[in-house]
């Protein structure tokens, strides 16, 4: 077992009915790195995210996190172990405030039972914990530059802000691995620049990042290593330069005349 | 947009109208209440029952009888020189609303007596309220146990009823079945979701055992059932001499239809829950020969005197419709109260309730009523009616008049 | 206190208002399930019935002290909720709704056929214990518990589940555990309300606890405004008092009641107070300057 | 000018999707709308076809404002949309899907004629005409969606992300077909994330950024535009 | 004996199926549980009675008239109570449906009284013997009428333009409108067809049980809805299968002596099926979309 890898996929396969969405994918992500997963729509990228985070159970294969098998565990357990994610089609709690959205992220790091809920207004312990949650939530919001919008409803934010809020919420779970599913989608070039800086900052905090993204410039600039998926199979992996030059990748995904 | 505006206006108007109506109603009752309690010119009698919902028929019919009685009394100048006023309320057969209605009748409308409820359940539930508020509750339909007394046997001072009690009638009828008709084996069909039927079955079973009639099979149905094929098929192999059916007429008529359809040539006998033209409207020819007991001579050809006059006047006023038991008992309830008030020379329930206790051989349109020591009514004789093909189609005909004693 | 109220209010008002209080407690329970957590429950009357029968049987047949029976009624209802909840809460949306409805009907039929409940004869001889003061004290307790719950981490998690269960799960919330807990707590209050109902009306009959009653509870909550505590109280009050107000219309009142339900939904599809955040409305300025802890009222 | 979109504003609740865009479509053109996810491209198409009602603005087609019309009337006027993600009716056969495309037409022989044309253009659909649409591959579904739109004999065809999720080889094929459809007289408004392909077949293009038009011009001009190359063609 | 009960069950099931079809079609298109559907069935039954008693018509004319009246009523119901709520929450529409249901029940009770009304005998009591099984003429007519109506429905949905549009709309509402399908008209049509089938069911039940009453739609409606869910809501063959399954199961339950648990049988079956097959017997599995 390679202990330098934070996340390891071994021969992960999933079938839906007759369709093999992910087909024997192996992957290792080293601690502290940024790994990108690219490929055409329907290649199985988001499905891999869903397997890692426990939303789907793979038909075959294993997922190891920190050297521990997490295959098929329920999502909330996996989150608690330190994997957080964002979603391709934004999944915020629209009718909750921005701050509350992030607080939900801290849920798995705090205690919460019926008794403490009912005594919440006068129980100093609960109050103290809530205060800590709020402070940490604000930190995450500040990092994603959303602190001044904390009392707005999540559904009233702009598209780019919603994407950043998703990241803030994921960070609040105190993960060691952050999965970003098309974080730059729908952002304009300036927003993408800012986002890239933010992601670098997150990496500097010691987190490992695993991302799916279509914007090649974004991916090439940010990633340490890239894996390419096509029809559920991994067709290439390597540094951005290697991948860009890989003839299979050019044929399947990038197109031949990117000059 | 225009449409929505219009609808909105309609809704606002409707709501306003309702509120206005609601307030108006309140005012009315307050005014009269003030005068009523001060010995004004009306005596208020409340009606408790359902006029909406699936059991509305019992309530509506009782109310019709009560109104007819009030009219008759008022035509002759009222009682103690005061007009009788019926205050009607609907509870839609909901227990919680029944309790609300009683509270309203007593406290807002200041009635001196309440007639109702036609069913045992709600009467039982509201009896303690009438008792503690010192208002007479006279049920014109409740037949079950623990109405005039509490669960631990204590007599209630303000609660009475004027119905034929199954506990009195059923044993007499069973005796007749055994001795006159020679029945030896019967099947009992209980309507499991009717308190009336469950209670009546218990009484019948005891009476059957006492008279040496064997119960070969016991079947249960639900009051809303309309398809009895499976149940009748189950009875068939036991070859009973007859069926004791303790439910209501709708199910009873349809049940007999199925019995005859499956080739069983037997008849049923049941309580006054079967008493109504609905029985043959549902059962057609299949109910010819079916027997029903009641304390009321609902046979226009045999009825005499008061009852005959009542039947004629009612059917005249209602397009030829025959009065049923609930109409008659509703009518009698008001008349009993009126007589008690006259006898006490007071419309104070504390006083006239004593006169109700004293009613002996009281002649009503629904039979002769005696209030016994235990406050329970005794109606004698019990009429056993049979469905026969008459001149104007099917009708009830008195088969036997069985005298009973307390 | 009770004596004082009785001296100024006539027993009719007391009866109507006490019953209203009982319904408010049950409706607030359903609001936690449907309004806050977003689970359809079309069988709330079943838990109300479990509490009513459970408590009444304990006081009538086993001479339990009333307060013990009250608590026991709530606990029995919560237990019933857990038993049905474990398999059923895997289902979502209308499927959960129809299963809860089916369960409600099964409970009613079982109560009709059991001996201990008295079947169709009903259960009588229950002592009068639910005074208006007791009921409204419990209404206040319920409001407090619901308010505290909704504004706690627990309530926040429930709202998150309602808004997006997959995202909630991905944020580390054990959604099945929370759903069961919310369901059980909501049904606990239905059970307590049922116990109060039994000791207010003093007579129980299975026909009073059919799906019509479940839908009545659902209407209280939806018409008031899903997730909004003041909304639910308002909705319950309007719908409980409407039949009393409509009395003067006698035979037409249920007809109008039905029509009003349709019209109210058409004009306020989110409920009377749905989408109105009272906290924000009242504390507009304060809210902006202070750290708010409210989770949004649903709609 | 066949279609003129003027100052279109669309919001979803508090989120503004389109902040006043204006553009035109001339007869016989292929016009591409390019931009990132969430820039408002699909919203624009759905507003034209009537699925979404704008807060403000007008969409003029043959002197009629489409804004006030329900979708089925707009189809009747000759505007047909191929929705994003194909959206074929999965439990209906290929033939039934195509018949649905001709829903607004009455003349049976003309419909037959169109069906023949579609089968000519997409022979694979004819082979599978009795198969359920849900069992087709992604590429075949795209063809079916396009064939279905052609069945209404549209003057304007709105294409939403036709390349989405398709293998590169198929993408080429689809774009060839689009060009061909255009050549036979149908005006095309194309929304595409694959800016490269879109610009290669379009006459003109508009670049959408967060609900506003950032750039517009002839396709080859845009393809050579520094900004576009950087932002949308993945080049430095 | 057993075969006999199967025939009884099939007859009951055929009626459940007719009502269930309306639920399933409406649900398929607008995801609404039309709780007032049971009342349409009830009104259909009353129209049938009135056709026979007041106008002296026979079975055939009565059932057609009932279907026509209920078609109009169903369309009106959708217009008034559901269309304004098309974009609102599911629960809002559901409450509106319950309100409409209460309204229709009480309207009928005000008009005709709460009492059951006998359905005059329009079909004679003839009994046919098929092997060891006895089938009454009424049963045969119910089975035959249901079969014919279901065949007509099948034809409409499969081969008639608006029927196909119905299917298209139930699979993809927005895309259907992009085809030029007037969704409002399709929804009205769906209500019309569903209501007509319910009305036919009402008349058939009236003839079978010899009686109709204002509250007959409540339990029948709920059970038919159960049948629709049991078969897989949204699926037309599912509704037929669910209805027949429920009818047979219930009859066997009564025959086995559980008549007082009759209503619980339907719901218990439903719960058991849903726990193992969460979208019903013929329902498509829902995939968690992430």
């Amino acid at each position: 077992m390679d202990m330098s890898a934070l996340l390891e996929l071994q021969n992960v396969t999933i079938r839906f009915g007759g369709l093999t969405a992910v087909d024997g994918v192996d992957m290792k992500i080293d601690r502290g790195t940024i790994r990108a997963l690219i490929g055409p729509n329907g290649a199985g990228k988001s499905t891999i995210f869903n397997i890692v985070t426990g939303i789907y159970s793979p038909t075959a294969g294993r997922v190891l996190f920190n050297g521990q098998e997490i295959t098929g565990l329920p999502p909330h357990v996996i989150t608690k172990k330190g994997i957080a994610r964002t979603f391709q089609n934004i999944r915020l709690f629209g009718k909750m405030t921005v701050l509350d959205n992030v607080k939900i992220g801290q849920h798995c790091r705090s205690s919460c039972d019926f008794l403490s809920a009912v005594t919440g207004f006068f129980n100093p312990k609960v109050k103290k914990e809530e205060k800590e949650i709020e402070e940490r939530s604000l930190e995450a919001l500040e990092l994603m530059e959303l602190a001044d919008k904390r009392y707005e409803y999540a559904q009233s934010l702009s598209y780019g802000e919603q994407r950043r809020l998703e990241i803030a919420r994921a960070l609040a779970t105190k993960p060691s691995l952050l999965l970003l599913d098309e974080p730059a989608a729908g952002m304009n070039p300036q927003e993408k620049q800012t986002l890239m800086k933010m992601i670098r900052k997150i990496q500097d905090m010691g987190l490992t990042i695993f991302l799916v993204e279509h914007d090649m410039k974004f991916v090439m600039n940010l990633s340490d290593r890239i894996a390419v998926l096509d029809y559920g199979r991994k067709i290439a992996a390597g540094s951005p330069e290697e991948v860009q030059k890989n003839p299979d990748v050019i044929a399947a995904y990038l197109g031949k005349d990117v000059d | 947009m225009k449409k929505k505006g219009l609808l909105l206006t309609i809704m606002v108007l409707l709501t306003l109208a309702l509120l206005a109506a609601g307030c108006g109603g309140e005012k009315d009752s307050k005014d009269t209440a003030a005068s009523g309690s001060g010995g004004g010119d009306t005596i208020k009698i409340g009606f408790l029952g359902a006029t909406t919902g699936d059991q509305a028929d019992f309530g509506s019919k009782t109310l019709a009888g009560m109104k007819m009685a009030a009219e008759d009394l008022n035509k002759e100048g009222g009682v103690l020189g005061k007009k009788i006023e019926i205050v009607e309320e609907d509870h839609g057969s909901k227990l919680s609303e029944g309790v609300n209605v009683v509270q309203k009748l007593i406290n807002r409308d200041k009635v001196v007596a309440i007639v109702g409820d036609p069913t045992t359940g709600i009467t039982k539930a509201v009896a303690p309220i009438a008792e503690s508020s010192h208002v007479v509750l006279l049920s014109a339909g409740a037949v079950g146990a623990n109405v005039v007394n509490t669960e631990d046997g204590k007599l209630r001072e303000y609660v009475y009823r004027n119905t034929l009690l199954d506990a009195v009638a059923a044993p007499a009828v069973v005796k007749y079945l055994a001795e006159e008709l020679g029945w030896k084996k019967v099947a009992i069909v209980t309507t499991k979701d009717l308190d009336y039927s469950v209670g009546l079955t218990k009484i019948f079973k005891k009476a059957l055992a006492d008279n040496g009639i064997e119960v070969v099979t016991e079947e249960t149905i639900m009051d809303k059932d309309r398809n009895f094929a499976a149940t009748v098929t189950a009875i068939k192999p036991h070859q009973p001499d007859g069926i004791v059916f303790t439910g209501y007429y709708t199910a009873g008529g349809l049940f007999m239809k199925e019995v005859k359809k499956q080739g069983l040539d037997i008849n049923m006998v049941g309580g006054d829950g079967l008493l109504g033209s609905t029985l043959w409207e549902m059962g057609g020819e299949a109910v010819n020969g079916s027997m029903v007991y009641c304390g009321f001579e609902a046979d226009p050809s045999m009825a005499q005197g008061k009852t005959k006059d009542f039947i004629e006047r009612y059917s005249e006023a209602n397009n030829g419709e025959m009065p049923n038991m609930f109409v008659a008992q509703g009518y009698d309830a008001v008349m009993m109260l009126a007589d008690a008030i006259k006898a006490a020379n007071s419309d104070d329930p504390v006083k006239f309730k004593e006169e109700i206790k004293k009613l002996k051989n009281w002649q009503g349109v629904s039979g002769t009523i005696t209030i016994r020591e235990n406050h329970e009514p005794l109606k004698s004789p019990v009429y056993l009616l049979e469905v026969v093909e008459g001149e104007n189609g099917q009708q009830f005909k008195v088969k036997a008049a069985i005298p009973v004693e307390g | 206190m009770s004596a004082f109220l009785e001296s100024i209010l006539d027993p009719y008002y007391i009866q109507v208002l006490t019953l209203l209080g009982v319904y408010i407690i049950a409706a607030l329970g359903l609001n936690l399930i449907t309004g806050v957590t977003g689970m359809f429950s079309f069988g709330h009357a079943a838990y109300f019935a479990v509490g009513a029968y459970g408590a009444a049987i304990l006081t009538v047949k086993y001479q339990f002290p009333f307060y013990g029976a009250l608590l026991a009624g709530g606990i029995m209802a919560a237990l019933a909720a857990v038993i049905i909840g474990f398999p059923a809460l895997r289902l979502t949306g209308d499927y959960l709704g129809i299963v809860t409805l089916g369960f409600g009907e099964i409970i009613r039929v079982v109560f009709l056929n059991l001996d201990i409940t008295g079947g169709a004869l009903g259960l009588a001889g229950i002592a009068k214990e639910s005074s208006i003061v007791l009921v409204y004290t419990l209404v206040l307790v319920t409001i407090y518990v619901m308010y505290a719950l909704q504004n706690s981490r627990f309530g926040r998690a429930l709202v998150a589940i309602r808004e997006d269960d997959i995202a909630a799960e991905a944020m580390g919330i054990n959604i099945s555990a929370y759903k069961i807990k919310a369901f059980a707590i909501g049904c606990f209050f239905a059970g307590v309300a049922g116990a109060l109902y039994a000791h207010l009306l003093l007579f129980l009959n299975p026909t009073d606890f059919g799906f019509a009653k479940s839908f009545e509870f659902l209407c209280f909550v939806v018409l008031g405004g899903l997730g909004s505590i003041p909304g639910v109280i308002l909705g319950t009050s309007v719908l409980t008092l409407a039949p009393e107000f409509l009395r003067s219309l006698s035979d037409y009142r249920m007809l109008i009641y039905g029509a009003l339900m349709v019209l109210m939904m058409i004009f306020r599809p989110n409920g009377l107070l749905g989408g109105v955040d009272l906290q924000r409305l009242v504390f507009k300025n304060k809210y902006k300057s202070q750290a708010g802890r409210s989770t949004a009222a649903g709609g | 000018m066949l279609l003129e979109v003027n100052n279109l504003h669309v919001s979803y609740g508090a989120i503004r999707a389109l902040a006043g865009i204006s553009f035109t479509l001339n007869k016989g053109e292929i016009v591409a709308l390019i931009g990132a996810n969430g820039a408002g491209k699909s919203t624009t198409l759905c507003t034209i076809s009537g699925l979404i009602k704008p807060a403000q603005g007008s969409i003029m087609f043959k002197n009629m404002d489409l804004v006030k019309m329900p979708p089925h009337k707009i189809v009747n006027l000759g505007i047909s949309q191929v929705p994003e993600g194909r959206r074929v009716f999965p439990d209906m056969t290929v033939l039934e899907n195509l018949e649905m495309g001709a829903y607004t037409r009455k003349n049976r022989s003309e419909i037959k004629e169109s069906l023949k044309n579609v089968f000519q253009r997409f022979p694979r659909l004819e082979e599978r005409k009795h198969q359920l649409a849900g069992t087709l591959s992604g590429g075949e579904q795209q063809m079916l969606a396009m064939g279905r739109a052609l069945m209404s004999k549209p003057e304007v065809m709105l294409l939403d992300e036709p390349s989405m999720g398709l293998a590169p080889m198929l993408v080429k094929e689809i774009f060839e077909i689009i060009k061909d459809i255009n050549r036979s007289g149908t005006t095309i408004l194309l929304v595409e994330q694959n800016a490269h392909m879109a610009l290669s077949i379009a006459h003109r293009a508009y670049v959408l950024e967060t609900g506003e038009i950032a750039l517009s011009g002839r396709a080859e001009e845009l393809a050579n535009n520094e900004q576009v190359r950087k932002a949308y063609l993945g080049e430095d | 004996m057993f075969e006999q009960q199967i025939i009884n069950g099939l007859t009951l099931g055929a009626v459940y199926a007719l009502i269930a079809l309306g639920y399933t079609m409406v649900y398929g298109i607008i995801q609404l549980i039309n709780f007032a559907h049971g009342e349409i069935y009830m009104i259909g039954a009353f129209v049938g009675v009135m056709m026979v008693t007041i106008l002296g018509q026979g079975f055939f004319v009565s059932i057609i008239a009932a279907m026509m009246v209920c078609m109009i009523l169903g369309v009106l119901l959708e217009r008034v109570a559901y269309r304004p709520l098309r974009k609102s929450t599911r629960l809002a529409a559901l409450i509106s449906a319950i309100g409409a249901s209460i309204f229709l029940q009480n309207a009928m009770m005000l008009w005709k009284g709460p009492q059951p009304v006998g359905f005059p005998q329009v079909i004679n009591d003839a009994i046919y013997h098929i092997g060891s099984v006895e089938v009454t003429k009424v049963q045969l007519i119910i089975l035959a009428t249901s079969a014919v109506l279901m065949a007509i429905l099948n034809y409409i949905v499969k081969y008639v333009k608006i029927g196909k549009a119905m299917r298209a709309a139930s699979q993809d509402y927005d895309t259907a409108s992009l085809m030029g399908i007037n969704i409002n008209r399709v929804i009205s049509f769906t209500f019309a067809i569903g209501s007509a089938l319910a009305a036919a069911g009402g008349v058939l039940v009236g003839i079978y049980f010899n009686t109709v009453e204002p509250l007959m739609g409540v339990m029948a409606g709920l059970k038919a809805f159960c049948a629709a869910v049991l078969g897989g809501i949204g699926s037309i063959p599912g509704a037929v299968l669910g209805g027949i399954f429920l009818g047979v199961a219930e009859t066997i339950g009564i025959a086995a002596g559980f008549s007082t648990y009759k209503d619980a049988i339907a719901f218990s079956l439903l719960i058991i099926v849903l726990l193992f097959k969460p979208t019903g017997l013929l329902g498509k599995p829902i995939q968690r979309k992430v």
Side-chain angles (χ1 to χ4, degrees), chain C residues 86-146:
Chain C
F86 260 112
L89 290 179
R90 290 187 310 143
L91 302 169
T92 51
D94 294 335
Y95 290 99
L96 178 61
I98 194 73
V99 162
T100 49
L101 183 143
F103 178 70
E105 280 303 284
I106 291 172
I107 286 267
R108 184 181 63 82
V109 172
V110 167
F111 281 173
L112 190 63
N113 281 284
L114 286 182
D115 283 335
I116 194 160
T117 58
L121 292 176
L123 189 64
I126 307 167
K128 169 112 182 177
E129 301 279 2
S130 306
S131 68
I132 188 164
V133 174
L134 171 70
V135 168
Y136 277 89
T137 310
L138 289 177
V139 167
L140 288 178
V141 171
T142 312
I143 292 174
Y144 169 77
V145 170
M146 290 299 163

Side-chain angles (χ1 to χ4, degrees), chain A residues 41 155-156 162 186 231 251-252 257, chain D residues 14-15 37 164-165 167-168 196 235:
Chain A
N41 271 331
Q155 64 186 13
S156 66
Q162 292 196 2
Y231 286 107
D257 37 23
Chain D
I15 306 164
N37 245 346
M164 188 199 241
H196 194 80
E235 294 164 24

Side-chain angles (χ1 to χ4, degrees), chain B residues 361-372:
Chain B
N361 290 320
W362 185 84
Q363 294 292 322
V365 297
S366 73
T368 308
I369 298 166
T370 297
I371 301 292
R372 290 180 288 178

Side-chain angles (χ1 to χ4, degrees), chain E residues 33-106:
Chain E
I33 305 175
N34 176 13
F35 268 113
H37 192 59
E39 275 55 54
I40 301 271
Y41 151 89
M42 174 271 289
I43 290 169
F46 268 93
V47 174
V49 167
M50 282 182 257
M51 287 304 291
V52 175
T53 52
I54 299 173
L55 299 179
Q57 297 296 332
F59 165 72
F60 191 69
V61 175
S62 305
I63 200 167
I64 299 283
M67 289 169 77
M68 302 290 257
V69 170
C70 287
M71 259 188 193
I72 297 166
L73 191 70
V75 171
L76 263 175
L77 176 71
E78 191 269 331
R79 269 285 168 93
V80 174
Y82 305 148
R83 190 170 295 180
L85 288 163
R86 190 96 41 87
K87 296 232 155 58
S88 309
T89 57
R90 313 270 305 278
L91 280 174
L94 192 75
I95 300 296
S96 183
I98 295 170
S101 155
I102 293 177
F103 179 86
L104 291 174
Q105 281 164 17
N106 284 280

Side-chain angles (χ1 to χ4, degrees), chain B residues 164 168-169 172-173 293-297 361 363 366-369 378-384 398 400-405:
Chain B
L164 170 65
V168 175
V173 169
Y293 68 73
C294 71
F296 162 47
E297 229 175 346
N361 290 320
Q363 294 292 322
S366 73
T368 308
I369 298 166
L378 179 71
K379 276 183 156 176
S380 180
V382 172
Y383 293 95
L384 185 63
V398 175
I402 310 166
V404 287
E405 282 162 35

Side-chain angles (χ1 to χ4, degrees), chain C residues 58-59 63-70:
Chain C
L58 285 178
T59 54
Q63 283 74 47
F64 245 59
F66 170 66
Y67 287 96
L70 189 65

Side-chain angles (χ1 to χ4, degrees), chain A residues 193 196 200 215-224 226 240, chain D residues 236:
Chain A
Q193 283 293 334
M196 239 186 290
R200 287 246 161 75
D215 186 320
M216 280 309 113
K217 194 176 140 202
F218 191 87
V219 169
M220 298 299 169
N221 269 337
L222 203 58
S223 322
D224 297 308
I226 296 173
Chain D
D236 288 305

Side-chain angles (χ1 to χ4, degrees), chain C residues 33-205:
Chain C
I33 298 170
T34 304
V36 178
T37 323
M39 299 181 285
F40 282 11
S41 174
F42 301 166
H44 206 55
Y47 309 100
F48 189 71
V50 168
Y53 271 104
I57 288 170
L58 285 178
T59 54
V60 172
K61 307 218 162 151
Y62 299 98
Q63 283 74 47
F64 245 59
F66 170 66
Y67 287 96
L70 189 65
L71 191 65
I75 290 171
M76 280 187 265
L79 273 178
V82 171
I83 291 167
I84 184 72
F86 260 112
L89 290 179
R90 290 187 310 143
L91 302 169
T92 51
D94 294 335
Y95 290 99
L96 178 61
I98 194 73
V99 162
T100 49
L101 183 143
F103 178 70
E105 280 303 284
I106 291 172
I107 286 267
R108 184 181 63 82
V109 172
V110 167
F111 281 173
L112 190 63
N113 281 284
L114 286 182
D115 283 335
I116 194 160
T117 58
L121 292 176
L123 189 64
I126 307 167
K128 169 112 182 177
E129 301 279 2
S130 306
S131 68
I132 188 164
V133 174
L134 171 70
V135 168
Y136 277 89
T137 310
L138 289 177
V139 167
L140 288 178
V141 171
T142 312
I143 292 174
Y144 169 77
V145 170
M146 290 299 163
Y147 186 76
L149 269 183
Q150 285 196 35
N151 290 290
S152 71
R153 293 196 277 282
F154 187 88
R156 203 154 60 207
L158 298 184
V159 175
I161 291 171
R162 178 190 75 200
E163 291 293 299
D164 191 326
D165 57 339
I166 289 176
E169 208 176 3
M171 289 305 116
I173 295 170
N174 182 350
I175 54 172
S176 15
Y178 273 85
K179 279 180 170 180
I180 287 269
K181 280 183 202 165
F183 201 52
I185 295 170
C187 292
F188 172 85
F189 284 100
V192 169
L196 290 170
Y197 178 87
H199 292 86
L200 175 67
L201 292 185
L202 318 185
F203 182 75
L204 296 175
N205 194 318

